[in-house]
Amino acid sequence: MQSIASCTFDTCPVAASPYGYPPSSAADAIFLIIHTGSLVACLLYTFYLADTNRWLEFTVPVSVACLFEMAGYAVRLGSASDPWNVALYATSTAFIIVAPAFVSAGIYLAISEAIKVLGVEHSLIDIARYPLLIWIDVVGFVIQLVGIIISFSDLSPDTGLGEHARIGSPIIAAGIAVQALSLITFLVLFSIVLFRAAVAHNQFGYTTFHPIHGFVPMAHRFKFFVAMLLISVMCLFGRALYQAIVLSNGLDSWAVKNQALFAGLDSLLVAEAVVGLVIAHPVRFLRNGIEKKTGSSRSITPMIEEQSGRPIGQDLTPWSSTTNFI
């Protein structure tokens, strides 16, 4: 039996490669450029455009996700000319599988501030508990790593995937299913917040009363942030469903080896999620209507002093997210 390590497009069918197809260099280059641009934009928002709050809790995990996706697609570019290289296959597969977990982590760390704008009274749970969803993702991430290690533990440059891939692949699928569970839990909880806020807005014209600034309308930029957030979460959830289903059938199943399915239900959905979140970065878009109401951030302090009769900072506790909105 011929070793796949010596295979070329002239001597071996590409279906015998670990990918099952020649990775598209054009598609991989496009997704590499998308994630590279997203990383640059995310860092610019944080370290160049930010004033006081750099939102590192959002930028760091999203940037890590971009780096992982970049590594995965850069390796796939190398595989385009040699799809039989099992080391490149294992590396690209591992990076692309685990990267979205960091995107969802960034969402969970940012969402509590968004709910403060809508009104914490609309949330079913304490907003401090939303970041705890990360621990569900951590469990899923660890399970995925275990599955990846098992799947590729007997990888051979001569024969490709070994018998352990049949054991490890369903484990990876289980880890992604856990991640899907955290996403759908978040989506349900946040949808309830949005529904209750919408009802309040229809009844009173505002979603909540802020302790310092009173009734503040939601700015269009904040609505854009919420829209991008929901789109990103749904993209991540769709991608998780796809990967959980196809990997449960094994890394050598026809669905895994279908490049069109992978491009449309993984690459594209993750790219949409990342780009949407970066475009609506909290540094600029997680704000409410205070600026519209007061005219400028400079006019806020006199307004507070007039209402309270005390200089700001003395016996006055501002809401925790004020600096994020001004």
Side-chain angles (χ1 to χ4, degrees):
M1 180 178 178
Q2 181 182 1
S3 168
I4 64 171
S6 60
C7 280
T8 66
F9 288 105
D10 296 325
T11 60
C12 299
V14 73
S17 70
Y19 289 101
Y21 56 83
S24 170
S25 56
D28 293 334
I30 289 173
F31 290 117
L32 176 59
I33 292 171
I34 288 174
H35 290 292
T36 302
S38 297
L39 175 63
V40 172
C42 197
L43 295 177
L44 283 175
Y45 266 120
T46 298
F47 297 105
Y48 182 72
L49 297 177
D51 40 21
T52 55
N53 190 341
R54 297 185 183 275
W55 279 98
L56 290 175
E57 65 271 30
F58 175 87
T59 295
V60 170
V62 172
S63 296
V64 171
C66 289
L67 287 171
F68 278 25
E69 293 285 351
M70 289 163 58
Y73 287 106
V75 173
R76 279 178 66 90
L77 271 175
S79 297
S81 59
D82 185 13
W84 296 274
N85 189 313
V86 294
L88 295 182
Y89 166 78
T91 303
S92 65
T93 301
F95 275 118
I96 291 174
I97 284 177
V98 302
F102 292 93
V103 183
S104 55
I107 293 173
Y108 301 151
L109 289 171
I111 194 60
S112 59
E113 295 299 325
I115 295 176
K116 289 177 184 177
V117 178
L118 293 165
V120 296
E121 66 272 20
H122 303 308
S123 178
L124 285 179
I125 63 174
D126 189 324
I127 61 172
R129 295 183 179 179
Y130 280 92
L132 295 179
L133 289 170
I134 293 175
W135 291 106
I136 302 178
D137 266 12
V138 169
V139 172
F141 182 80
V142 171
I143 295 174
Q144 290 176 58
L145 286 182
V146 171
I148 289 170
I149 292 171
I150 293 175
S151 296
F152 299 143
S153 61
D154 62 343
L155 201 66
S156 168
D158 297 320
T159 59
L161 292 171
E163 289 299 319
H164 289 178
R166 298 181 182 274
I167 302 173
S169 182
I171 297 176
I172 300 173
I176 296 176
V178 171
Q179 182 181 343
L181 175 63
S182 71
L183 287 167
I184 195 64
T185 301
F186 165 80
L187 194 58
V188 169
L189 290 173
F190 191 53
S191 296
I192 291 173
V193 173
L194 293 176
F195 175 76
R196 289 180 169 183
V199 171
H201 187 272
N202 288 335
Q203 290 180 341
F204 309 112
Y206 298 92
T207 61
T208 191
F209 179 84
H210 294 297
I212 293 179
H213 305 294
F215 294 106
V216 178
M218 287 186 294
H220 291 300
R221 59 174 176 269
F222 175 73
K223 295 177 182 178
F224 178 75
F225 170 82
V226 171
M228 290 297 100
L229 183 73
L230 289 174
I231 291 173
S232 296
V233 171
M234 288 187 285
C235 286
L236 292 175
F237 180 69
R239 176 264 176 189
L241 284 182
Y242 157 73
Q243 284 287 14
I245 292 172
V246 300
L247 288 175
S248 64
N249 295 318
L251 284 166
D252 57 350
S253 66
W254 73 269
V256 172
K257 294 190 173 185
N258 187 311
Q259 184 168 208
L261 282 178
F262 171 76
L265 297 178
D266 188 294
S267 302
L268 183 60
L269 290 181
V270 174
E272 288 179 355
V274 171
V275 170
L277 289 174
V278 171
I279 289 176
H281 197 289
V283 162
R284 281 290 179 263
F285 288 87
L286 187 48
R287 300 183 175 190
N288 60 9
I290 291 177
E291 288 178 317
K292 181 186 293 185
K293 181 176 181 180
T294 61
S296 69
S297 59
R298 293 181 181 178
S299 64
I300 293 176
T301 300
M303 180 186 70
I304 297 173
E305 291 179 354
E306 180 181 352
Q307 291 179 351
S308 65
R310 297 180 300 272
I312 187 169
Q314 295 184 5
D315 301 323
L316 180 64
T317 304
W319 48 313
S320 60
S321 54
T322 299
T323 55
N324 294 338
F325 307 131
I326 300 172

